[in-house]
Amino acid sequence: MTDRDPMLDPILDPASMRKHYRVEGVDETDLAANPMDQFRHWFEQAALAAAHGTLYEPNAMVVSTADVQGRPSSRTVLMKQYDDQGFVFYTNYDSRKARDLAENPYVSLLFPWHPLARQVIVTGTARRTGRDETAAYFRTRPHGSQLGAWASAQSSVIPSRAELEASYEELSARYPEDEQVPVPPNWGGFRIAPQTVEFWQGRENRLHDRLCYVAEPDGTWRVERLSP
């Protein structure tokens, strides 16, 4: 007896996987004057969907970077703040993404809110957050996550999981729950200042709405409708 060919099984065949999106869309007249206000509106709806169990981690975003030779890499991280200055996430400054951003500050963010048939795609430039801002956020992290920031030499090759866990246990003994954990010197945030912010809404017949804010030199924004 041979295994079934996954391409003959409609449940497993990628070519036969399709979702019919909604009739309702988004129009230029529905948009806020600037992209961060529009993001706030959509993020509130995504957070509400998460509270009802229909969407997982609305602050999860795919961060795409490229090194000095243009070789790209992507990973999912958690956005920890957004404001008029952009989007903030935290990482080890020795990680691959941080090394990429040190060489090439251009970055893309993608918020994949699939249950809402929505995406937000951001392009912009990254700069490090200040140490005071980093420390203030670090203090809000659970104790275990603070220790984890010390235990992990992010993106480096390690011999085994056991070594990672041993490092964590050593730190746990050094900094028990009631003792303050210092902020690692090689750990901190990046703020992504947007240059474009695209709001993508899935529509019927693949005629999606794509409305993109583009930054102007004078600090204002223009909105372009992109063909799906």
Side-chain angles (χ1 to χ4, degrees):
M1 181 177 179
T2 60
D3 293 335
R4 297 175 64 184
D5 184 344
M7 295 300 102
L8 300 180
D9 189 334
I11 296 178
L12 302 176
D13 180 8
S16 65
M17 296 176 182
R18 51 182 51 87
K19 177 76 172 176
H20 297 289
Y21 298 127
R22 58 197 260 180
V23 176
E24 300 84 2
V26 57
D27 191 75
E28 288 85 343
T29 58
D30 299 327
L31 295 178
N34 69 76
M36 299 312 294
D37 284 343
Q38 182 62 34
F39 180 84
R40 184 174 295 107
H41 175 60
W42 272 27
F43 184 74
E44 288 172 355
Q45 294 180 339
L48 185 62
H52 287 88
T54 57
L55 190 151
Y56 186 69
E57 289 193 318
N59 61 326
M61 60 183 184
V62 178
V63 176
S64 297
T65 59
D67 64 16
V68 72
Q69 269 118 17
R71 294 172 296 194
S73 60
S74 299
R75 74 290 290 163
T76 301
V77 305
L78 298 178
M79 177 192 68
K80 288 302 178 179
Q81 182 186 346
Y82 67 94
D83 53 31
D84 291 340
Q85 303 304 309
F87 305 85
V88 178
F89 68 90
Y90 291 87
T91 188
N92 186 308
Y93 285 144
D94 295 325
S95 65
R96 179 175 179 178
K97 56 185 169 297
R99 294 197 307 269
D100 282 356
L101 292 173
E103 298 175 335
N104 177 2
Y106 294 102
V107 62
S108 175
L109 312 176
L110 167 64
F111 293 87
W113 296 328
H114 301 306
L116 303 180
R118 284 179 173 176
Q119 301 178 80
V120 179
I121 306 103
V122 179
T123 65
T125 55
R127 69 178 189 276
R128 291 188 180 190
T129 58
R131 293 308 292 173
D132 288 346
E133 183 177 357
T134 292
Y137 167 70
F138 189 79
R139 298 284 168 245
T140 70
R141 287 165 64 95
H143 183 75
S145 295
Q146 293 180 7
L147 296 178
W150 279 97
S152 171
Q154 196 173 108
S155 300
S156 65
V157 177
I158 57 175
S160 67
R161 171 83 189 186
E163 181 175 287
L164 179 65
E165 292 178 348
S167 176
Y168 181 89
E169 291 303 322
E170 178 184 338
L171 288 160
S172 184
R174 188 187 312 169
Y175 301 108
E177 280 281 354
D178 58 349
E179 189 166 334
Q180 188 177 79
V181 180
V183 182
N186 63 335
W187 187 94
F190 282 102
R191 175 171 278 102
I192 310 305
Q195 296 174 336
T196 68
V197 185
E198 179 186 332
F199 294 85
W200 184 102
Q201 175 67 70
R203 298 291 303 274
E204 285 187 323
N205 302 315
R206 297 301 186 262
L207 300 178
H208 312 307
D209 285 326
R210 297 177 60 190
L211 297 175
C212 185
Y213 291 81
V214 180
E216 298 280 26
D218 63 359
T220 61
W221 297 88
R222 73 175 188 273
V223 175
E224 300 175 337
R225 177 174 285 271
L226 306 179
S227 177

